[in-house]
Amino acid sequence: MPRSATFPALACLAPLGAVLIWSGNMTINQLTVGTIAPSTIAFLRWVLALLVLTPFVLPKAWQERDAICRAWPKLAILGLLGMALWQGLAYMAAETTSATNMGILAAMVPLLTVLLSALVLRETPTWGGVVGGCLALVGVLWLLSRGHFSALAELEIATGDFLMIIAAICYALYGVMLKRWPLDISPWVMLYVQAVFATLLLLPGYLLGPMTPISSANVGLILYAGIPASIITTYLWMMAIRHLGASRSSIFINLMPVFSALIAMLLLGERLAWYHLSGGLLVLSGVLMAQLLTRPLKRSRVQPLQDSRTTAR
């Protein structure tokens, strides 16, 4: 029996932790506007992450150099999708769209992951994944529309909205490809090499874009983005996908608006409204449904045929 099936509650801690940190980073995205250029923080966060990781991970990476050399194209693609594009595009999107729009579009990741898993991994969607994902998405929309779905029609379409759609597709594909490519590389080394490729891929944009100098106004943003939101979340997400799979892990992303509301209440003194409670309940119900209802939408026809042949014999 797989470990995730034996200890489902323990396996859920990884995606919960990742989503909690990402929820804080949604606030960071908005705080960066006018404080630091998107190309600067997108690049410097991974430079900082590499500076922190190198003394601890580089010796192990050298021991696994043969496996890294064999898998470097896959690691480069993973670094591009999950590190360079996912958050880099989010920083760019924050300049031209609202946090509400970003939250709604980020909630597309679970359903996109289910779709891409069916196409790329040939996974049959589960009842819990589809129904729970839709229920969680309804909860997100209810939460972000402040209890009035009609308010969603008033959201303005901006360039940042399209950037967030691309970012959501990239991160959904990242989770699917992590499952598609079970590389024989230890988790921390895998994270480290992906960060190296992400840094190299973001370097041209940093050199060509406006370089914002590090100051007291943005150093805290860089530190949060570089350590918790880069190192810790990526490691937790890789562990989540390893134990739960891409589709089931991605459902937890729907908790981001709920966690964001709680963070705002605790740190900014915002009051918890009724739509926070009702929307949060819908989201939590969808997440639980995705984890507990694992029966496939379609039963395989191979097993009945095998059974009939066994009976005939």
Side-chain angles (χ1 to χ4, degrees), residues 112-123:
L112 287 170
T113 302
V114 172
L115 176 61
L116 291 173
S117 294
L119 295 175
V120 178
L121 304 178
R122 303 297 181 185
E123 288 184 354

Side-chain angles (χ1 to χ4, degrees), residues 147-278:
H148 301 283
F149 285 127
S150 59
L152 297 175
E154 301 175 3
L155 295 175
E156 298 180 358
I157 303 299
T159 303
D161 298 323
F162 293 105
L163 293 177
M164 276 304 300
I165 292 174
I166 297 173
I169 294 173
C170 288
Y171 207 71
L173 187 57
Y174 173 73
V176 171
M177 299 317 293
L178 271 178
K179 190 68 175 179
R180 176 69 176 83
W181 294 330
L183 304 178
D184 188 21
I185 300 173
S186 57
W188 282 109
V189 172
M190 190 171 174
L191 186 158
Y192 181 76
V193 178
Q194 289 180 63
V196 170
F197 281 113
T199 304
L200 293 174
L201 292 167
L202 290 167
L203 179 59
Y206 172 71
L207 296 176
L208 296 175
M211 296 185 189
T212 306
I214 300 176
S215 65
S216 59
N218 58 38
V219 66
L221 305 178
I222 297 173
L223 288 173
Y224 186 91
I227 299 178
S230 294
I231 298 175
I232 298 176
T233 54
T234 305
Y235 180 80
L236 290 175
W237 199 247
M238 290 194 302
M239 292 299 97
I241 290 173
R242 175 171 296 188
H243 292 287
L244 297 176
S247 297
R248 294 176 69 189
S249 297
S250 67
I251 298 295
F252 285 85
I253 293 179
N254 284 305
L255 290 169
M256 285 179 64
V258 180
F259 286 161
S260 298
L262 293 175
I263 291 172
M265 180 184 66
L266 294 174
L267 300 182
L268 303 179
E270 295 185 3
R271 298 183 63 181
L272 196 63
W274 66 273
Y275 57 82
H276 288 130
L277 297 175
S278 55

